[in-house]
Amino acid sequence: MASAFPATDPETGRNGFTSLYRTALLLLSSRAVFGLVNLAAAAVAASAVGLSAFGAVILCHAVARLVGDTLRFQSWQAILGFGTPMLDRGEGRSLSRLIGVTVALDLAALGIALGLLMIFAPALGQALGWPHEMQDWVRFYALAAVFMTSATPTGVLRLMDRFDILNWQHAINAVVRLTGATAVLWFGLGLDALFTVWFAAAVLSGGWMMLRAFMLGRAMLTVLPATGRTEMPPRFWPFVLSTNLSSSISGALLHGSTLAVGAVLGPAASALYAIARQISDALAKPAKLLGPVVMPAFSETRNDATGGASTLMTRSLVIGGTAMIAIVALVYLAGDAILAAVFGAEALAAHGLLVLAAVAAAITLCGFALEPAILATGRADLALVLSISAALAYAALLGLLLPAEGLFGAGLALLAHAALLFAGRLAVARWLLHDRVPANHPEAA
């Protein structure tokens, strides 16, 4: 595997930063297109069955994602963090063992998630006041969680730089949703058909990506020499447990807040909340995409003599900050027009939430390189502490502000969470990387 952070090429004059951000640009442009397709699918779905009924689909999807994301292991981070040097050294035996362990972890987590959903879905539905048919849909929709939480296949594809397949996964999901929602609207098929469309989109897109990852991963391991050790690398288990807990907290916050809005304000409000989050999350999507892109670069440059990791973080902050300003300006000036044009006048109630959620998303985007920088130093424990602290603050604020301020209060809680997490990660990342920058390097000043 070519270095993710190569030195300057004497023939082309291009360096690792150029290659890195060229990959990032390709990812962002494709995801932007399919983000718009997903937004169009949501608009058609809301028109087909009504905002409140569409909120029921959103709530079922949130339950499946809540349990799946909370319990799944972030094995893709382990594959990138530990698998990158194994692949560079051609250690096929070590890499095969690593992938085997992460697959076992994924299967165990998914088994627990499905069991919990099947057992507790009716009780959850009753507690939230859902009708009986919706409780049945939650149990059926739980099967889609298997195809939403494919961490090891994602790690294998990112390890092989096959981001094109990950892009196709999102393309399939968006196209199936839009095509299916259009059919529901055109033929008047109703809510059950819309549930089926969302379920099919998850299964088809996730299943295709898993199949491609299996085929490519097997081919990769076939050509690698059977060298290396079969035991796990040092610090593997602390790293995996810490990153998993951190991701579980993020998943619980994201999907649990949707359920909280639905419980306090009703399904229609949860649909508005989901719409605002979908728009803001689409704006923040680069943070999720670029993190895995830059993580191998941080891993390779964390101990070099040129201060490459610190320079990478600084440049990433500048790029993210520029994008942050553009996002906030766009949503502030055109957010109400977007809501009204796409979802109708009823959606204008979410304008204040949309602005606050967009600011939170922009802050997250600005700091997209901070968590990978921390993880690359091996301090997943510090990343976990930051996630827990920000999560506790968010939960407290959401509990206080949601009943009093409604959707606007939910937006304030989102903004506070993003700001706290950014500030904490920035301070820790600068502290960790400063210890690795030579005294004569400009970043050490």
Side-chain angles (χ1 to χ4, degrees), residues 1-52:
M1 175 181 176
S3 173
F5 195 86
T8 301
D9 189 323
E11 296 182 3
T12 64
R14 294 171 177 168
N15 57 28
F17 293 116
T18 303
S19 175
L20 193 64
Y21 290 114
R22 187 188 305 111
T23 300
L25 180 61
L26 292 174
L27 281 173
L28 298 183
S29 59
S30 62
R31 294 296 179 89
V33 171
F34 295 115
L36 293 175
V37 175
N38 257 324
L39 187 61
V44 174
S47 299
V49 299
L51 196 59
S52 181

Side-chain angles (χ1 to χ4, degrees), residues 152-175:
T152 293
T154 301
V156 170
L157 293 174
R158 286 170 173 169
L159 183 67
M160 301 178 68
D161 290 330
R162 291 305 304 266
F163 291 94
D164 57 319
I165 294 176
L166 296 173
N167 282 338
W168 274 107
Q169 177 196 8
H170 288 268
I172 293 171
N173 184 278
V175 171

Side-chain angles (χ1 to χ4, degrees), residues 318-409:
V318 172
I319 292 174
T322 303
M324 180 179 73
I325 295 173
I327 287 173
V328 174
L330 171 66
V331 173
Y332 180 77
L333 296 175
D336 53 352
I338 294 173
L339 286 173
V342 178
F343 295 99
E346 188 179 2
L348 289 176
H351 179 250
L353 165 64
L354 175 61
V355 172
L356 294 173
V359 176
I363 293 173
T364 300
L365 174 58
C366 182
F368 73 88
L370 298 178
E371 186 178 30
I374 296 172
L375 294 177
T377 65
R379 296 305 306 268
D381 55 331
L382 293 180
L384 175 61
V385 170
L386 292 173
S387 295
I388 292 175
S389 301
L392 291 175
Y394 173 77
L397 286 173
L398 187 65
L400 290 173
L401 295 174
L402 186 58
E405 302 292 337
L407 290 175
F408 188 77

Side-chain angles (χ1 to χ4, degrees), residues 157-243:
L157 293 174
R158 286 170 173 169
L159 183 67
M160 301 178 68
D161 290 330
R162 291 305 304 266
F163 291 94
D164 57 319
I165 294 176
L166 296 173
N167 282 338
W168 274 107
Q169 177 196 8
H170 288 268
I172 293 171
N173 184 278
V175 171
V176 171
R177 282 185 176 184
L178 180 58
T179 304
T182 303
V184 172
L185 176 63
W186 183 265
F187 296 105
L189 299 179
L191 183 57
D192 285 348
L194 189 62
F195 270 116
T196 305
V197 167
W198 251 243
F199 178 84
V203 172
L204 292 174
S205 60
W208 181 83
M209 186 270 284
M210 290 179 179
L211 178 61
R212 293 290 292 145
F214 172 77
M215 295 171 60
L216 291 171
R218 184 174 62 177
M220 172 185 67
L221 294 175
T222 300
V223 300
L224 286 176
T227 59
R229 299 181 298 179
T230 57
E231 63 268 20
M232 288 296 95
R235 295 185 57 81
F236 172 81
W237 291 109
F239 179 90
V240 168
L241 293 175
S242 296
T243 54

Side-chain angles (χ1 to χ4, degrees), residues 5 300-311 433 435-444:
F5 195 86
E300 294 180 13
T301 60
R302 62 190 179 193
N303 293 317
D304 66 15
T306 63
S310 185
T311 302
L433 293 182
D435 290 341
R436 292 165 170 76
V437 176
N440 61 348
H441 190 270
E443 291 292 335

